[in-house]
Amino acid sequence: MKLKVIPGDFVVRELARLPLREKGPYRLYLLEKKGWNTIDLLLQLAKAHGLPYRLFAYGGLKDRHAHTFQYVTVKHPANLTTGDKNFHFQSIGYMDRPMGPDLLEGNEFAITIRALSAEEVSRITRRVDEVRGFGYPNYYDDQRFGSMDRQMGFMAERLLKKHYNGSLQIYLTGIYPEEKKEAKERKRFFREHWGDWATCLSRAKTTMESRIFSLLAEKPKAYIEALQMIPREELSLLFSAYQSFLFNELLRRVLQDLGLDLAAVPGVAGPYLFYRRLERKELTYLKSLALPLAASRMEFPDARTEQLFAAILEERGIKRSSFNLRKVRQAFFKSTPRSAVVFPGDFRLEPAEPDDLYPGRQKIRLFFKLPRGSYGTMLIKRLTMP
């Protein structure tokens, strides 16, 4: 099986309620892209037009390895319509507010799965019917955990435990899968020379690296002050990654506590456990179940989920009150509910056909809609699991 062989194999379109106006302070754009992630492309556009990045707003982050369509606002009157072979940024109207996640209803997917045997095609076809009837667990997928350091874990967890030195070390030395070779080598250098701030400063390249290592060269233990320099949006993403990890862990334990027959698919931050079928009682419970994201104040749907979550925090050496950060306050943990299972809308499967890229194999195309925040790649994991 092959996924995302070419960008056209994974097409994602945002579904949004857009309060369009004939004129307004926010110009609305449709961003079509491939080979770019959302933030990097918007940073480049901001730089190219000499505008602060804070003027750009979007509803969700879209994957680099896909052909994606999403809405972006810019609080600036000029028409910034531009493009090249890998993206097109087209002005389509105005709004009197910035784009944001609250305007998104979901995403529409068109996915091609390649290099399939006849047996794999048959298995996927059966599993489409299972998912139509029973949905699938609404886990956050691997791409949410790019900021997790494979050796040191989550920056946010270190911060919650008041391990400020370790938290800062993950922030400045954690290597992301998509980073360029030069950035990875520089971060390895920082980790090898951690604590020798003058040496680290000599290799600093980004503005943030220079600012933090300059501070530490003057005040070697000023870890909290250094953490306070991290931009709010960046810190929010790091917090979200840890909340996503805890959500996944809670959902895994709920499914295990129900005594379901589960199959495991490996993940970068823990296995994804999937059921194949559900009894009516279990289906009714899971369809109505929403689990809260971690914060100091959380509302649980029942005693089972509250007890399971308490056990997770105890194992990790964290208290609920720790989520109310006192020292680093430019971002915060907010608890919102997330559905435990998801049912794809308008779900259809085209008949298999010969794969033009893999002779002798077959390909199939899937079309479906998912609510905001649910992962199409997780559905593919469910359909192709062992």
Side-chain angles (χ1 to χ4, degrees):
M1 183 205 87
K2 300 282 186 183
L3 191 66
K4 298 184 179 179
V5 178
I6 56 175
D9 286 350
F10 205 97
V11 181
V12 188
R13 296 176 186 271
E14 276 186 350
L15 304 171
R17 303 179 313 280
L18 301 171
L20 290 170
R21 302 285 183 266
E22 286 189 18
K23 279 289 180 185
Y26 297 88
R27 196 185 271 262
L28 179 67
Y29 295 84
L30 177 63
L31 172 59
E32 177 185 0
K33 65 176 182 62
K34 46 192 175 183
W36 281 96
N37 69 47
T38 303
I39 292 176
D40 286 348
L41 182 51
L42 294 184
L43 282 168
Q44 174 156 308
L45 289 173
K47 186 177 180 182
H49 293 285
L51 295 173
Y53 177 68
R54 68 175 183 274
L55 300 183
F56 291 71
Y58 52 85
L61 298 172
K62 294 290 181 281
D63 196 353
R64 178 194 304 269
H65 304 293
H67 186 176
T68 66
F69 298 79
Q70 68 181 117
Y71 298 103
V72 176
T73 54
V74 185
K75 193 178 183 182
H76 193 267
N79 186 344
L80 308 182
T81 295
T82 184
D84 65 17
K85 62 184 175 65
N86 288 320
F87 80 93
H88 193 62
F89 193 60
Q90 177 68 49
S91 175
I92 59 172
Y94 297 89
M95 299 201 306
D96 53 16
R97 54 151 291 174
M99 186 64 197
D102 59 306
L103 295 179
L104 294 184
E105 294 181 327
N107 291 286
E108 187 174 41
F109 295 82
I111 296 177
T112 303
I113 308 177
R114 295 184 177 273
L116 296 167
S117 66
E119 183 184 341
E120 287 172 321
V121 169
S122 176
R123 189 165 69 230
I124 289 171
T125 303
R126 288 195 307 272
R127 290 184 177 166
V128 165
D129 289 333
E130 291 172 358
V131 170
R132 282 195 182 113
F134 304 107
Y136 66 95
N138 195 21
Y139 295 116
Y140 292 94
D141 208 348
D142 286 355
Q143 52 268 46
R144 189 77 166 195
F145 306 117
S147 61
M148 185 191 80
D149 187 272
R150 299 299 183 269
Q151 294 174 299
M152 298 180 68
F154 288 93
M155 177 267 190
E157 184 170 274
R158 295 290 183 118
L159 189 57
L160 291 170
K161 292 178 175 181
K162 298 183 170 62
H163 297 173
Y164 300 121
N165 183 8
S167 182
L168 186 65
Q169 187 173 359
I170 294 173
Y171 174 68
L172 286 171
T173 70
I175 293 173
Y176 302 130
E178 294 178 346
E179 281 187 308
K180 293 177 181 174
K181 183 182 176 185
E182 187 274 332
K184 290 179 179 178
E185 288 176 351
R186 192 173 74 253
K187 288 184 172 184
R188 288 191 192 100
F189 179 88
F190 293 153
R191 184 159 292 188
E192 287 168 13
H193 296 85
W194 191 257
D196 183 350
W197 306 127
T199 301
C200 289
L201 181 58
S202 71
R203 281 288 296 273
K205 183 177 180 182
T206 69
T207 303
M208 190 55 57
E209 288 168 357
S210 298
R211 287 183 64 201
I212 290 177
F213 287 130
S214 293
L215 169 69
L216 293 173
E218 282 186 37
K219 299 192 282 185
K221 302 287 187 183
Y223 306 125
I224 293 171
E225 196 176 335
L227 289 164
Q228 290 168 343
M229 292 180 172
I230 300 173
R232 179 183 59 83
E233 186 180 60
E234 201 174 344
L235 193 59
S236 293
L237 289 172
L238 294 167
F239 287 1
S240 293
Y242 190 57
Q243 286 180 306
S244 304
F245 166 75
L246 293 174
F247 174 91
N248 282 5
E249 186 60 33
L250 178 56
L251 180 51
R252 272 191 286 271
R253 296 194 188 198
V254 168
L255 298 178
Q256 290 171 320
D257 194 60
L258 288 170
L260 302 177
D261 182 20
L262 300 168
V265 174
V268 298
Y272 301 109
L273 303 181
F274 294 103
Y275 53 80
R276 288 190 170 84
R277 307 180 72 81
L278 296 169
E279 298 298 330
R280 182 175 295 181
K281 183 180 176 184
E282 297 154 348
L283 177 60
T284 302
Y285 175 69
L286 289 173
K287 275 181 84 168
S288 64
L289 185 66
L291 301 175
L293 295 185
S296 57
R297 293 184 181 180
M298 302 167 68
E299 290 187 18
F300 289 90
D302 55 26
R304 165 193 272 140
T305 53
E306 187 164 12
Q307 288 164 6
L308 290 171
F309 187 75
I312 293 168
L313 290 192
E314 187 175 350
E315 287 169 22
R316 305 197 74 83
I318 297 171
K319 295 177 180 175
R320 280 259 294 276
S321 59
S322 303
F323 287 91
N324 185 13
L325 294 168
R326 304 285 183 187
K327 300 286 179 69
V328 180
R329 299 186 66 88
Q330 63 268 41
F332 58 93
F333 290 90
K334 181 182 178 183
S335 184
T336 54
R338 177 179 171 88
S339 297
V341 299
V342 61
F343 289 78
D346 299 339
F347 193 11
R348 63 188 177 90
L349 174 69
E350 282 190 350
E353 57 186 44
D355 192 332
D356 47 317
L357 299 182
Y358 296 90
R361 309 291 277 185
Q362 294 180 293
K363 67 178 181 181
I364 56 174
R365 297 196 76 205
L366 296 161
F367 300 88
F368 55 92
K369 294 175 182 175
L370 291 177
R372 182 180 91 206
S374 295
Y375 287 79
T377 46
M378 192 57 64
L379 173 58
I380 302 305
K381 283 183 170 71
R382 167 63 182 90
L383 297 177
T384 59
M385 69 185 191

